[in-house]
Amino acid sequence: MSDLSPVTSGEDAQDPSDEADSSGDAPVGEPVIRVKAMTMGWGDFILQREATFTVNRGDVFVLLGGSGCGKSTLLQHLIGLQTPLAGSVEIAGLGERGPERWGEPRFRVGPPPFGVMFQSGALFGSMTVGQNLSLPLERWTDLPPDAIASLVRGRLGLVGLREFEHHYPSEISGGMKKRAAIARALALEPDLLFLDEPSAGLDPVSAVELDDLILTLNRQFGLTVVLVTHELESIFKIATRCAFLDKDSQSIIARGDPRQLRDESTDPRVRAFFNRLPRSVAEEARA
Amino acid sequence: MLRLRGSLRFADAHRVWSEFRAAALPPPSGGVVFDLSEVERLDGGVAALIVELQSAISCGDGTPVDLRGASADVAEILTLYGCQLGCERTPPAPVPLLTQIGAAAAEVLDEARGGLEFLGAVIVAWFSGLRRPATLSWSQIWPVLERAGADGLPIVMMFGFLVGFIMAFQGAVQLEQFGASIFVADLVGLTITRELGPLMTAIVVCGRSGAAFAAELGTMKVSEEIDALKTLGFDPLRHLVIPRILALVIALPVLTLVADVMGLVGGLLVGLFSLDLTPMAYIHETQGALELWDVTSGLLKSLAFALAIGGISCQQGLATTGGAAGVGRRTTTAVVSILFSLILIDAGFAVAFNALGV
Ligand SMILES: Nc1ncnc2c1ncn2[C@@H]1O[C@H](COP(=O)(O)OP(=O)(O)OP(=O)(O)O)[C@@H](O)[C@H]1O
Ligand SMILES: [Mg+2]
């Protein structure tokens, strides 16, 4: 990994203020993402009302909640692909969201400020796995082609896909697509990473390896990670903080250290989640 | 009182549903009782139907429905399908006609605004891209040029040839009556270069590339590839849309020129074999009839056609939502709107050329 870290881009270097903000040397703990009283949804259909939380540098921040409660949608808001109905999202180095969305590259100069892995992987179907990874490198770095090629092979090796460099996404399995997408999200060595259910569909061994990878990146390189996952083991192992989204009350019902929440939370919904109880038991407990 | 007995399987679902509906709807006063005491086995499908029927009866006017005598197993399956939840669904209120009309009108306005916004964004992206050419993905032009241009050459050639051929035949029948068969060359030359060459080529390219662009971008949109592209720092307009439009702007005039030539060849063949004209006479007549402007005006039109095909297909593709069905819908809309705009543009040029007297 360490030989990969000097990936910097030409455009980044031209903009010293951006550089200072996004470098990994900043002290751990300063806020990277601030969500203030954000309401999200579509028209009358509200998913979350006035959600407020911060993600600090060096966090592994997990978004939790039942299926369909809006975790993927929240990620879309964080990366600026959707605009909140009310409130604001702020990312260090990008400033507070104005009327334009900074998720749209045309409102931004320089390379993308974060890496994203979508729930579906979203690999480009018309390119091979290798080309998927080299695309951002060709655009945002001035590395010669052979350096890019070895970088791509290195990244693919990291997720165990070295032999599949020349396969098209339609020729690899669902779990492999996820891994390739993670490698692509890491391509530009971002220091903020968004992952939507990275380990869903992976076998237990790959899932554990992925957890270890995230931990290494987080500890060694100070990578801040925001991820959605349902794997309790992985949550307790890697998460430093979490936010628990609830669909019915359209709000975040708990946040903090997941281990602490498991042991101390009095909210039956949170307890049910961490102790794998069916919903009916949680409802009885509440009644 | 309705009594069920024996083992109820999914295969019996149709019978259970129709017989029970007939017996229980409209509900008799005093309520309905389902007696399940003799049911040995119940599977999920039938359970779901019984639960549905129960709520259909009691949601109507609050007629009490009693399910009694179910064994523990049967009761568990019924609970699984939400039997105890009771009546909580309210049927959706019918949408009044006026609201429907209003919604449809709003949708049309929304579409128009989306199209205008797209047009503005593309223009801005193009000019800011010109100022910083590195931000435009020039290399994306080549593959598109190959698919939309080179690969389309055979069909465009055949189209051009056949159009010239047919025109000459139709014209020959009329003109021969006046002994003016040599004027077939004028007829074919002028109509092909000014009108049919550009239009026919544009229609072929609309069917081949317009549909392809819309479907391709639409699929990328619904599979989150467009979002992924943005998070990697690529503006879809500069990376996908502008290269496609540029490729068409290059390819369509060239294809049109090829179609023009093939059309003239088609006319020439009819002249030679059916009208007994000599090649020299035919070519000489064509040369006399055609001015440079006839060809360039056609090419000018094909430029406008290229912008329309590229712009509309990409706009529709990027506006896609709603999975595979959405891609199909947008592709259809793209092709229809392109054809419509081709005719409009053609008419616009006709009026403008006429007014300018050229
Ligand atoms: N474009 C849209 N328009 C309207 N509603 C939408 C749209 N996209 C998603 N939704 C709704 O928003 C809700 C949240 O969706 P989202 O994908 O964020 O869920 P999630 O928490 O990520 O679930 P999962 O864990 O299953 O991935 C769902 O109920 C879905 O129906
Ligand atoms: Mg999701």
Side-chain angles (χ1 to χ4, degrees), chain B residues 159 196-210 252 305 309 335 338-339 342-343:
Chain B
F159 245 71
L196 287 181
L199 194 61
M200 284 300 177
T201 311
I203 289 174
V204 171
V205 170
C206 162
R208 287 187 81 252
S209 310
L252 197 53
F305 292 158
I309 298 173
V335 171
I338 291 172
L339 291 178
L342 291 184
I343 299 296

Side-chain angles (χ1 to χ4, degrees), chain A residues 11 76 79 81 101 103-106 108-112 114-116 118-127 132 135-136 139-140 184-185 188, chain B residues 117 120-122 124-125 128 132 134-137 139-140 216 220 222-239 244:
Chain A
E11 300 230 359
Q76 293 257 332
I79 60 185
L81 288 175
R101 316 170 186 176
E104 304 281 344
R106 63 190 141 119
R108 223 174 42 208
V109 280
F114 37 64
V116 183
F118 290 85
Q119 190 165 3
S120 61
L123 296 174
F124 304 124
S126 59
M127 299 178 186
N132 262 280
L135 183 77
R139 172 72 179 86
W140 294 114
R184 188 180 66 184
L188 289 170
Chain B
E117 267 176 16
V122 170
V124 170
S128 69
R132 295 194 308 154
T135 61
L136 285 179
S137 306
S139 61
Q140 291 288 314
E216 194 180 359
M220 288 183 77
V222 297
S223 60
E224 292 185 307
E225 284 181 38
I226 301 282
D227 284 349
L229 204 60
K230 289 180 187 170
T231 64
L232 292 174
F234 291 88
D235 178 8
L237 292 181
R238 294 184 206 186
H239 186 70
R244 279 175 172 69

